[in-house]
Amino acid sequence: MHMPLEDTIGLNLLAANQHQAEHNREQFDAWHLLCLNLMSSPGAGKTSLLERSLSQLAKEFSMAVLEGDMTTQLDAERLEAVGIPVIPITTGRACHLDASMVQGGLKLLADRLDPAELDLLWVENVGNLVCPAEFEVGEHRKVALLSVTEGEDKPLKYPVMFREADCVLITKIDLLPYLCIDMERLESHIRQVNPFCTVLRVSANTGAGFDAWHGWLHQQRNAQAPGFSPRAPLSRWEPAIH
Amino acid sequence: MHMPLEDTIGLNLLAANQHQAEHNREQFDAWHLLCLNLMSSPGAGKTSLLERSLSQLAKEFSMAVLEGDMTTQLDAERLEAVGIPVIPITTGRACHLDASMVQGGLKLLADRLDPAELDLLWVENVGNLVCPAEFEVGEHRKVALLSVTEGEDKPLKYPVMFREADCVLITKIDLLPYLCIDMERLESHIRQVNPFCTVLRVSANTGAGFDAWHGWLHQQRNAQAPGFSPRAPLSRWEPAIH
């Protein structure tokens, strides 16, 4: 559940979340790990993307996942099957993860392993194209997924998510032959709300586009010098792969 | 934007919304119109469903649409092209319609036509599988859409929406030949959280399932005797078409 935030109470809540998020990020920086926040509509393919990426990257990176879900642990079980540490975070009626929930997940994770040994920490958010975009969890990079089945207009209709994203993954491109969708138009809508983000086309079914996606991940990780907090302006980063 | 509602402020907000929703419903009842609240993830096909239903039902029902969107009027423009009165409601940062926004839309609608001449009033909510389920707008019936591309697990992962729905439309069934999805399993997941709702399979592209869907609409409308408020328990209704 949730309520509008256009008042003092709402602004205080956002400020408190931001404070906790900055604390989380300081921890991530001290541990020299890169934290990525995956966000999308329900069913855009966050868990399927992670299944393939975790398998393919397991020899290159030390990784763990904080898995946000309202009620079930179905996604956490799918990812545990890959052999990567997964901490489920059940949000109950909350429509997004917040920084305190992620802090709670971190404490459980630290009981199982030394976070300083991780390269990448994945946060899979609740499936929601609106609310998670407003609540930082301390991530260094926000990755938004948009399925080709969702239509060309979504970046314009849900601009906050796409404005916040560092990388937009257009997913399920194996379905393109069966859909009426103009990919150039879709990408121009993303650019209209966010000219600077990386945009990549992928299919977790076929693996198409995963070389570029994993290249982007390596680039973000390589740019993360010790003590450097990558949520600084994007201009400090290498040009994005496109 | 939004905040958690697990406190007194949140409960007061929900109570105030409920009060306004009941007022809206009293108006709908006085006008003898049936109000339907369409909800789903972004891109599940609410507007495409309405385009086809409004065209096909235009000779049978007098209809209007309140069209909720965060920022654009793209959907309202699509529906106006069908020749049906449409009032856009721009929610800004809000992730759902609430009863006050719908009341505001009703006032604008009443400037254009006499609501007592309407049979059906459609409310198309913001694309979000979580938040709209918690905020009644005065509707008589909630219709939840779930696209076959979203996966079998969604009713379990987002149970509030499916528990609240009177009718669940499984959309985009023309894509079934290209997907790995077990429809029986998907439907059993819906039944697990809501044994009583009507479940129908449709495609707005091909028109498949629309006879049953429009049959359900006729049934709801026929059951609406003057002064009768259909948000009463479902057991007072005829058995659902299935």
Side-chain angles (χ1 to χ4, degrees):
Chain A
M1 273 207 299
H2 51 274
M3 63 184 282
L5 279 183
E6 280 92 27
D7 55 13
T8 311
I9 298 163
L11 292 175
N12 286 346
L13 181 102
L14 270 189
N17 184 71
Q18 193 62 31
H19 183 75
Q20 178 66 56
E22 279 158 23
H23 174 67
N24 292 355
R25 195 172 298 126
E26 284 165 15
Q27 282 191 307
F28 300 149
D29 288 341
W31 291 328
H32 298 169
L33 65 76
L34 184 75
C35 177
L36 299 134
N37 185 359
L38 287 188
M39 296 176 283
S40 77
S41 301
K46 296 181 293 303
T47 313
S48 297
L49 181 98
L50 275 181
E51 282 177 319
R52 182 177 276 269
S53 287
L54 295 177
S55 297
Q56 292 190 0
L57 297 171
K59 290 186 180 163
E60 297 165 57
F61 292 125
S62 171
M63 298 179 287
V65 181
L66 302 181
E67 178 62 49
D69 252 321
M70 293 182 75
T71 51
T72 71
Q73 301 196 358
L74 295 171
D75 288 351
E77 287 161 14
R78 282 172 65 185
L79 296 179
E80 284 233 309
V82 183
I84 300 289
V86 181
I87 302 292
I89 303 176
T90 305
T91 67
R93 299 177 81 167
C95 51
H96 60 276
L97 290 174
D98 65 26
S100 297
M101 295 177 200
V102 164
Q103 179 60 223
L106 283 177
K107 286 183 179 142
L108 295 173
L109 186 70
D111 290 341
R112 286 178 55 178
L113 52 79
D114 178 2
E117 291 180 3
L118 291 174
D119 299 306
L120 301 184
L121 178 66
W122 299 92
V123 176
E124 183 178 342
N125 221 307
V126 176
N128 184 329
L129 205 52
V130 184
C131 315
E134 305 248 26
F135 285 80
E136 297 238 340
V137 298
E139 69 275 35
H140 298 111
R141 286 286 177 261
K142 292 181 202 283
V143 179
L145 285 71
L146 177 67
S147 152
V148 292
T149 61
E150 292 177 65
E152 300 146 4
D153 54 354
K154 295 304 168 291
L156 303 180
K157 291 180 61 187
Y158 303 89
V160 181
M161 178 64 77
F162 294 93
R163 197 173 293 135
E164 286 285 321
D166 301 295
C167 179
V168 175
L169 297 176
I170 304 176
T171 62
K172 306 194 190 186
I173 59 167
D174 53 302
L175 291 177
L176 282 176
Y178 318 113
L179 301 171
C180 284
I181 181 163
D182 180 339
M183 289 292 277
E184 300 305 320
R185 197 171 142 83
L186 170 59
E187 293 200 3
S188 82
H189 288 160
I190 297 170
R191 294 274 164 240
Q192 202 170 319
V193 298
N194 185 343
F196 304 114
C197 66
T198 298
V199 180
L200 299 170
R201 304 176 182 189
V202 300
S203 164
N205 268 352
T206 67
F210 271 64
D211 284 350
W213 156 235
H214 292 167
W216 183 84
L217 285 172
H218 273 283
Q219 189 187 38
Q220 310 312 304
R221 178 63 180 155
N222 291 341
Q224 188 181 35
F228 177 74
S229 184
R231 288 299 293 172
L234 272 174
S235 56
R236 294 178 59 181
W237 290 81
E238 292 298 304
I241 295 166
H242 191 48
Chain B
M1 271 205 300
H2 51 271
M3 63 184 283
L5 280 182
E6 280 91 29
D7 55 12
T8 311
I9 298 164
L11 292 176
N12 285 345
L13 182 102
L14 270 189
N17 184 72
Q18 193 62 30
H19 183 75
Q20 178 65 56
E22 279 159 22
H23 174 67
N24 292 355
R25 195 173 298 126
E26 283 165 14
Q27 281 191 308
F28 300 148
D29 288 342
W31 292 328
H32 298 168
L33 65 76
L34 183 75
C35 178
L36 299 135
N37 185 359
L38 287 189
M39 297 176 282
S40 77
S41 300
K46 296 181 293 302
T47 313
S48 297
L49 181 99
L50 275 181
E51 282 177 318
R52 182 175 277 270
S53 286
L54 294 177
S55 298
Q56 292 190 1
L57 297 172
K59 289 185 181 163
E60 298 164 57
F61 292 125
S62 169
M63 297 179 287
V65 181
L66 302 181
E67 178 61 49
D69 251 321
M70 294 183 74
T71 52
T72 71
Q73 300 195 359
L74 295 170
D75 288 350
E77 287 161 15
R78 283 172 64 185
L79 296 179
E80 284 231 310
V82 183
I84 299 289
V86 181
I87 301 293
I89 304 177
T90 305
T91 65
R93 298 177 82 168
C95 51
H96 59 275
L97 290 174
D98 65 26
S100 297
M101 295 178 200
V102 165
Q103 179 59 222
L106 283 176
K107 286 183 178 143
L108 294 173
L109 186 70
D111 290 341
R112 287 178 54 178
L113 53 79
D114 178 1
E117 291 181 2
L118 291 174
D119 298 307
L120 301 185
L121 177 66
W122 299 92
V123 176
E124 183 179 342
N125 221 305
V126 176
N128 184 328
L129 204 53
V130 184
C131 315
E134 305 248 26
F135 285 80
E136 297 238 340
V137 298
E139 71 273 34
H140 298 111
R141 286 285 178 261
K142 293 182 202 280
V143 179
L145 285 72
L146 177 68
S147 151
V148 290
T149 62
E150 292 177 64
E152 299 146 5
D153 54 353
K154 295 304 169 292
L156 302 180
K157 290 180 61 186
Y158 303 89
V160 181
M161 178 64 75
F162 295 93
R163 197 172 294 134
E164 286 285 321
D166 301 296
C167 178
V168 176
L169 297 176
I170 304 176
T171 62
K172 306 194 189 185
I173 60 168
D174 52 304
L175 292 177
L176 282 175
Y178 318 114
L179 301 171
C180 283
I181 181 163
D182 181 339
M183 290 292 277
E184 299 306 321
R185 196 170 143 83
L186 171 58
E187 292 199 3
S188 82
H189 288 161
I190 297 169
R191 293 272 164 242
Q192 203 169 319
V193 298
N194 185 342
F196 303 113
C197 65
T198 298
V199 180
L200 299 170
R201 304 175 183 191
V202 299
S203 164
N205 268 353
T206 66
F210 271 64
D211 284 350
W213 157 233
H214 292 168
W216 182 84
L217 285 173
H218 274 283
Q219 189 186 37
Q220 309 312 305
R221 178 63 180 154
N222 292 341
Q224 189 181 35
F228 177 73
S229 184
R231 289 299 293 172
L234 273 173
S235 57
R236 294 179 59 180
W237 290 80
E238 293 298 304
I241 296 165
H242 191 49

